[in-house]
Amino acid sequence: MKIILNGKSKKVNSNQKVIDLIGLLKIDSKFIAVAVNGEFVSKKNYSKIFLNDGDVVEVVSPHPGG
Amino acid sequence: MQIYNIKLKNNIILGSSKYPSPNIFLKCVKNIKTEMITVALRKIGDKPEKFYKTLAKTNCKILPNTAGCFNVKEAVNTALMCRDIFETDFIKLEVIENEKNLAPSVKGTIKASETLIKLGFKVLPYATDDLKFAKRLVEVGCKVVMPWGSPIGTGQGLVNIKKLKLIRKSLPDTTLIIDAGIGRVSHACQVIELGYDGILLNSAVALSKNPPKFAESIYNGVNSTIESIKAGPISVSKKAIASTSSKGIPFRK
């Protein structure tokens, strides 16, 4: 299936959870936060939320800001 | 200054953007003696942990922002993501309405403040110099309000002093911080002279020719102003009053 990850189309296996996507990206979840279809997903829910075809996923990290 | 349940010794909150390098940013943090730094969230790049580690070196409290949000839903979800990473309830709330002058949305900022406070956030909303707007933010539970001096990044200073004075007078128990528009040391001093609690600035320091030197100058200016207020300045008079005695002037009877 295809998801939109940070604005770009990405192929992922079906039945993937948010935690699987984080693993795929090889990033430490400490430094990131996630939203699926515009809704925040807390770290404790990464292993509970399944991704669906067409989901829009945002993965963000700290960035300089004013 | 009082920021909800914490008291900062320093009156300056520093933004972390636009510095020539991470090292220069860290020097500015040291020179301006800030205890609180604003940060943002953006889509992950190659090394998401890099900036996080720079922040850890500052030993400052983190004030995440919702910069770039144009509606309540975006702002609330961004705030939730900030809390998930930084493990802080503090949020610098920005809900922008006008892309050209980056003015905040009155309705959006009030609604998002209300929602976030119910979710346990300590909201520091970016506002204009409009008294009604500031009052509504206090009514929905904001203990801190941050009116602009002038639009973000313009360095114009305090363009509407009368309106800012009115907010200070009308909200004596609210922590008031000028967020945006500071360009010079004199602007920061003016903020303190108006009786405001603090200043939030970024571009003025980061984009100056010598950011560490400018940061030091801001700190010195703000603290000299605080000390001078403690020393009790003279009252303003409409009439000229000669400094030198009028007795014994030569060539006079």
Side-chain angles (χ1 to χ4, degrees):
Chain A
M1 66 177 186
K2 272 185 185 175
I3 61 165
I4 307 293
L5 175 64
N6 285 349
K8 289 177 186 167
S9 180
K10 185 174 178 66
K11 274 188 183 174
V12 292
N13 294 331
S14 49
N15 288 323
Q16 292 258 310
K17 292 176 184 171
V18 172
I19 197 165
D20 301 318
L21 178 68
I22 303 303
L24 210 65
L25 296 172
K26 293 176 183 165
I27 42 177
D28 186 340
S29 64
K30 184 182 174 185
F31 307 115
I32 59 145
V34 175
V36 177
N37 299 325
E39 300 287 345
F40 162 67
V41 177
S42 73
K43 290 191 201 308
K44 62 183 178 191
N45 286 332
Y46 287 177
S47 55
K48 295 177 189 165
I49 304 283
F50 280 94
L51 294 172
N52 296 303
D53 190 44
D55 274 353
V56 177
V57 183
E58 296 284 336
V59 181
V60 298
S61 66
H63 197 271
Chain B
M1 62 179 161
Q2 195 72 35
I3 310 285
Y4 288 82
N5 58 330
I6 63 161
K7 192 160 186 153
L8 302 179
K9 285 180 195 162
N10 188 303
N11 309 60
I12 305 160
I13 300 174
L14 188 65
S16 59
S17 194
K18 297 183 176 175
Y19 294 86
S21 72
N23 274 342
I24 290 177
F25 164 60
L26 290 172
K27 279 183 189 169
C28 292
V29 171
K30 189 180 164 206
N31 288 1
I32 212 163
K33 297 183 170 58
T34 187
E35 294 158 79
M36 190 173 253
I37 287 167
T38 62
V39 301
L41 292 184
R42 288 293 178 266
K43 296 181 200 298
I44 51 163
D46 291 339
K47 291 179 180 172
E49 72 285 358
K50 204 176 165 188
F51 181 60
Y52 191 98
K53 287 178 179 171
T54 301
L55 287 174
K57 287 181 191 169
T58 66
N59 291 318
C60 288
K61 290 186 170 47
I62 299 299
L63 176 58
N65 71 26
T66 63
C69 292
F70 279 80
N71 60 57
V72 175
K73 189 183 174 189
E74 282 176 4
V76 169
N77 278 286
T78 301
L80 288 164
M81 289 198 283
C82 287
R83 185 156 72 177
D84 204 38
I85 294 183
F86 299 109
E87 296 173 345
T88 177
D89 294 328
F90 292 118
I91 190 76
K92 182 195 169 196
L93 178 65
E94 293 182 34
V95 185
I96 303 297
E97 182 165 85
N98 184 329
E99 205 166 350
K100 276 189 180 170
N101 68 358
L102 300 176
S105 156
V106 175
K107 275 188 182 174
T109 306
I110 292 166
K111 182 69 195 159
S113 294
E114 203 172 8
T115 307
L116 289 168
I117 286 166
K118 281 180 187 160
L119 290 168
F121 281 90
K122 297 179 175 91
V123 181
L124 290 82
Y126 159 63
T128 62
D129 49 24
D130 182 72
L131 176 61
K132 277 187 189 169
F133 185 10
K135 274 188 166 174
R136 282 291 295 133
L137 291 167
V138 173
E139 280 165 15
V140 299
C142 295
K143 306 280 185 211
V144 178
V145 176
M146 304 203 294
W148 67 1
S150 47
I152 298 173
T154 61
Q156 292 174 18
L158 312 183
V159 294
N160 209 326
I161 287 176
K162 276 187 182 172
K163 289 181 93 173
L164 293 173
K165 271 186 181 173
L166 190 61
I167 294 176
R168 176 70 289 175
K169 201 179 166 190
S170 308
L171 299 172
D173 302 322
T174 304
T175 297
L176 294 176
I177 297 169
I178 290 290
D179 172 17
I182 300 294
R184 293 166 191 269
V185 173
S186 59
H187 300 154
C189 299
Q190 239 182 337
V191 171
I192 301 300
E193 284 184 330
L194 286 179
Y196 275 59
D197 298 275
I199 299 129
L200 194 161
L201 79 173
N202 189 157
S203 302
V205 176
L207 299 180
S208 64
K209 275 191 184 169
N210 185 339
K213 185 79 186 158
F214 199 86
E216 190 183 357
S217 305
I218 290 274
Y219 173 79
N220 289 335
V222 165
N223 280 280
S224 292
T225 309
I226 292 168
E227 291 305 313
S228 75
I229 291 167
K230 284 182 194 165
I234 61 164
S235 313
V236 174
S237 166
K238 284 184 182 172
K239 256 175 64 182
I241 306 165
S243 310
T244 308
S245 170
S246 56
K247 284 182 185 172
I249 300 175
F251 316 116
R252 300 265 177 90
K253 281 184 183 174

